[in-house]
Amino acid sequence: MRIMVAVKRVVDPNVKVRLLADGSGIDLTGLKMTMNPFDEIAVEEAVRLRELAIASEVLVVSIGPDKATETLRTALAMGADRGLLIKTDAPIEPLSVAKLLRAAAIEEKPDLILLGKQAIDDDCNQTGQMLAAQLGWAQGTFASNLAVEGDAVTVTREVDGGSQTVRLVLPAVITVDLRLNEPRYASLPNIMKAKKKPIAERQPADYGIVVEQRLEIVRLEEPAGRLAGIKVGSATELVERLRSEAGVLS
Amino acid sequence: MSVLVLAEHNGLVLDDATARAVTAAILVDPDVHVLVAGRDCGAVAARAAMLAGVAKVLIADDGDLADQLCEPLAGLIAGLGERYDAFVAPATTSGKSVMPRVAALLDVMQISDVIAVEAPDRFRRPIYAGNIIQTVRSRDSKKVLTIRTSAFSPAPSEHAKPIEPVNFQRGPHLSSFVAKVMARSDRPELTSARIVVSGGRGLGSAENFEAVLAPLADALGAALGASRAAVDAGFVSNDLQVGQTGKIVAPDLYIACGISGAIQHLAGMKDSKVIVAINKDPEAPIFQVADYGLVADLFEAVPEIRAAMPAG
């Protein structure tokens, strides 16, 4: 089977972002960029299926500016076979991302598409579900385990209150959660090897897709921060203050 | 026109998240209908019909809907697309799974995790783990929203409104239900609990979670939560995770024990009314958001807190 994995270049999740002074956008100057951590888990899973000879090829796709090539190289260094950059400098929403991935999927004919469950920048948690709908495929969100069995894949999903296991007819779209696997670090030889792996480049127009913004950003604000309160000296003082001062204990 | 709220339920009981979604939906359009999809879930529909502000409940009863699988459920909702201007679901794992599928079928850009409705086409939502609040205006003629339940209070109950059956067309069977494993707990549900006691890596083990933290939670009638570090270390199951990609909670009292306070964790709890942090590291970032900080070894402090509580 062939696997396609979608990866997004995002701000390092450990960085606290700030607004530009005029509030018109996020100040990304000098910030470390990285692959969305959930997408790393998706790449890792695809590469493992390749190593188990369940998958014959792993294609990684990213949508974004030239710099997104770095993210594709990271995925190639982890073990993906080839990359596809759909190049756009425009801000892009999940609905358009899904349309572009759908177009790529129609051309590439993967049996399985893996994505991270959400990107840690816009926190939308939409792309995989939208892509599955547009392709008319089954979807398995928040996967913590998956097993390919013939023409189907069994997915265990992290749901509120526990877990749910579903069987999806292939081809299918799966979005992955934290506990699916522990992504590997690329070794130096593999990083060198990845430099020679092919990355194709396309434009949205090549697929006949115009990237449009359905949402107008009216305003961006940093939320009013919480102020640090007081330090208490003992557990007894804490309970007393919670009761008399904060009124949250009866 | 009207707004359709997707009911969250387990076939028997209507989840409190639905009542919160109704509160948000009324702000989009006062003519709110609730869709209950499933098999033999008349009791759920009857409960939904009593939510204040709901004009009507639609019930779709079919074996294919019994397991809340996204493919048939999204097909059902999108099939009602002509009749509604807006579609709202709580941002639970089921709402998060089905609504983007609905949005794509209707060619609408969804707005996820809405924390405020400013106008029927204008919404506030957190991005970057809640470090930035974005206000967006939707240019789509229809709106598809998931709402953050901790940001809206539940609609109260009143007299019952009519319940109408709605037709469901079966589609291709793309997925099937295999199994469900639900954690059994007598404790309150994490996202709606009045008090949450949460533990981090500092707990050290699953046994300590049970032996040290659980008794405090039970004495307070609190829900138990955890940081991602505690989940990753295998101390507790993932559905207890509080944070950017786990549960978002805003209880009256949040007690963080042995949690350092990574931004991903703060994203899940910083809207709590009162935050208590217990950590032996005085430099832990959690203290920057805590109303009451106790620099102490949690293995001593937590039992002391429990002992200082009134009996019963």
Side-chain angles (χ1 to χ4, degrees):
Chain A
M1 71 186 294
R2 289 146 58 92
I3 302 181
M4 180 168 129
V5 186
V7 296
K8 184 177 188 181
R9 181 174 182 267
V10 298
V11 172
D12 185 298
N14 298 311
V15 170
K16 189 169 188 286
V17 297
R18 298 249 170 233
L19 287 180
L20 290 166
D22 65 357
S24 63
I26 314 285
D27 187 0
L28 295 177
T29 0
L31 292 189
K32 186 175 170 230
M33 303 296 281
T34 179
M35 189 191 303
N36 180 44
F38 290 99
D39 302 348
E40 279 185 348
I41 297 169
V43 172
E44 174 66 33
E45 195 66 16
V47 169
R48 288 185 190 189
L49 290 169
R50 173 99 161 81
E51 288 166 349
L52 292 167
I54 292 168
S56 55
E57 189 192 40
V58 176
L59 165 70
V60 281
V61 185
S62 194
I63 299 166
D66 276 328
K67 289 265 191 191
T69 309
E70 291 168 14
T71 311
L72 288 172
R73 288 279 172 221
T74 306
L76 295 175
M78 288 172 73
D81 297 291
R82 61 190 176 93
L84 169 64
L85 172 67
I86 303 175
K87 208 189 134 186
T88 173
D89 292 321
I92 187 159
E93 297 167 350
L95 186 67
S96 293
V97 171
K99 286 177 182 177
L100 290 168
L101 292 174
R102 173 182 177 270
I106 287 170
E107 212 167 78
E108 297 284 350
K109 300 184 177 54
D111 303 286
L112 181 62
I113 304 179
L114 298 177
L115 307 90
K117 73 163 178 179
Q118 94 189 50
I120 55 88
D121 50 5
D122 63 23
D123 283 334
C124 276
N125 195 335
Q126 297 174 2
T127 305
Q129 298 90 311
M130 288 181 160
L131 175 61
Q134 290 165 357
L135 286 164
W137 293 5
Q139 72 178 50
T141 47
F142 320 139
S144 61
N145 190 56
L146 65 89
V148 179
E149 292 148 355
D151 61 353
V153 54
T154 302
V155 183
T156 301
R157 309 176 49 231
E158 305 260 10
V159 298
D160 293 333
S163 68
Q164 183 203 46
T165 304
V166 291
R167 192 168 179 274
L168 312 178
V169 174
L170 291 172
V173 175
I174 294 175
T175 74
V176 308
D177 215 323
L178 283 175
R179 296 210 291 185
L180 181 61
N181 61 47
E182 183 89 22
R184 70 192 67 190
Y185 290 100
S187 67
L188 191 58
N190 284 339
I191 291 170
M192 301 310 289
K193 242 194 311 193
K195 291 185 176 166
K196 297 203 183 78
K197 290 183 179 176
I199 295 180
E201 197 178 306
R202 305 291 293 273
Q203 309 280 336
D206 297 337
Y207 299 111
I209 291 171
V210 180
V211 172
E212 48 177 356
Q213 272 78 46
R214 301 288 187 86
L215 302 183
E216 176 200 342
I217 313 283
V218 179
R219 204 164 57 236
L220 294 170
E221 300 151 85
E222 290 179 16
R226 277 187 94 100
L227 297 175
I230 57 161
K231 292 267 168 63
V232 293
S234 70
T236 322
E237 185 193 343
L238 175 64
V239 172
E240 187 43 43
R241 282 185 183 268
L242 288 176
R243 188 178 295 132
S244 57
E245 199 173 87
V248 288
L249 288 185
S250 48
Chain B
M1 276 208 290
S2 319
V3 47
L4 186 67
V5 173
L6 175 64
E8 170 95 13
H9 65 92
N10 63 1
L12 300 168
V13 180
L14 182 72
D15 195 284
D16 160 76
T18 312
R20 295 171 186 268
V22 165
T23 300
I26 291 166
L27 301 170
V28 178
D29 189 306
D31 190 28
V32 174
H33 300 181
V34 174
L35 172 65
V36 176
R39 182 84 187 123
D40 294 332
C41 38
V44 175
R47 184 69 196 85
M50 290 176 67
L51 292 174
V54 171
K56 190 200 288 189
V57 171
L58 306 181
I59 181 163
D61 189 318
D62 193 287
D64 276 11
L65 297 168
D67 302 304
Q68 306 284 309
L69 295 171
C70 290
E71 298 85 357
L73 195 49
L76 167 68
I77 301 167
L80 297 167
E82 296 289 303
R83 292 160 57 174
Y84 295 94
D85 281 332
F87 299 83
V88 176
T92 54
T93 46
S94 36
K96 286 176 187 173
S97 296
V98 73
M99 295 313 270
R101 196 167 174 109
V102 171
L105 294 174
L106 297 172
D107 192 31
V108 168
M109 174 56 205
Q110 174 180 301
I111 300 159
S112 296
D113 248 329
V114 169
I115 56 167
V117 178
E118 288 198 341
D121 64 347
R122 213 165 66 222
F123 311 94
R124 284 159 61 79
R125 60 177 302 265
I127 56 173
Y128 288 96
N131 285 307
I132 307 284
I133 305 297
Q134 185 186 55
T135 304
V136 294
R137 190 179 73 81
S138 167
R139 298 186 175 102
D140 285 312
S141 58
K142 293 187 187 296
K143 319 289 179 245
V144 177
L145 318 172
T146 62
I147 67 113
R148 178 168 287 193
T149 52
S150 62
F152 298 91
S153 56
S157 295
E158 56 171 34
H159 63 278
K161 306 301 190 326
I163 301 174
E164 277 178 19
V166 63
N167 193 30
F168 168 68
Q169 298 283 339
R170 287 190 173 185
H173 287 135
L174 298 173
S175 67
S176 53
F177 174 82
V178 177
K180 194 166 194 171
V181 181
M182 301 312 267
R184 281 183 305 124
S185 173
D186 298 330
R187 298 193 183 99
E189 208 273 313
L190 187 53
T191 52
S192 54
R194 203 181 67 79
I195 303 178
V196 173
V197 174
S198 231
R201 202 196 307 268
L203 263 298
S205 71
E207 293 70 33
N208 288 342
F209 234 91
E210 214 32 60
V212 180
L213 223 50
L216 177 62
D218 293 340
L220 291 167
L224 209 50
S227 69
R228 179 182 159 188
V231 171
D232 276 355
F235 301 169
V236 287
S237 67
N238 189 55
D239 63 299
L240 295 190
Q241 188 196 144
V242 172
Q244 180 185 16
T245 62
K247 300 281 195 308
I248 311 291
V249 303
D252 288 347
L253 175 60
Y254 188 89
I255 305 180
C257 306
I259 292 178
S260 63
I263 55 176
Q264 289 80 7
H265 184 75
L266 301 185
M269 47 63 83
K270 67 185 163 69
D271 293 326
S272 304
K273 201 169 135 214
V274 174
I275 296 174
V276 170
I278 301 163
N279 202 301
K280 61 183 173 192
D281 174 10
E283 304 302 320
I286 190 80
F287 288 120
Q288 291 164 20
V289 301
D291 300 287
Y292 298 100
L294 177 58
V295 180
D297 182 346
L298 73 92
F299 294 105
E300 287 166 17
V302 170
E304 278 169 22
I305 293 170
R306 198 181 154 221
M309 304 252 309

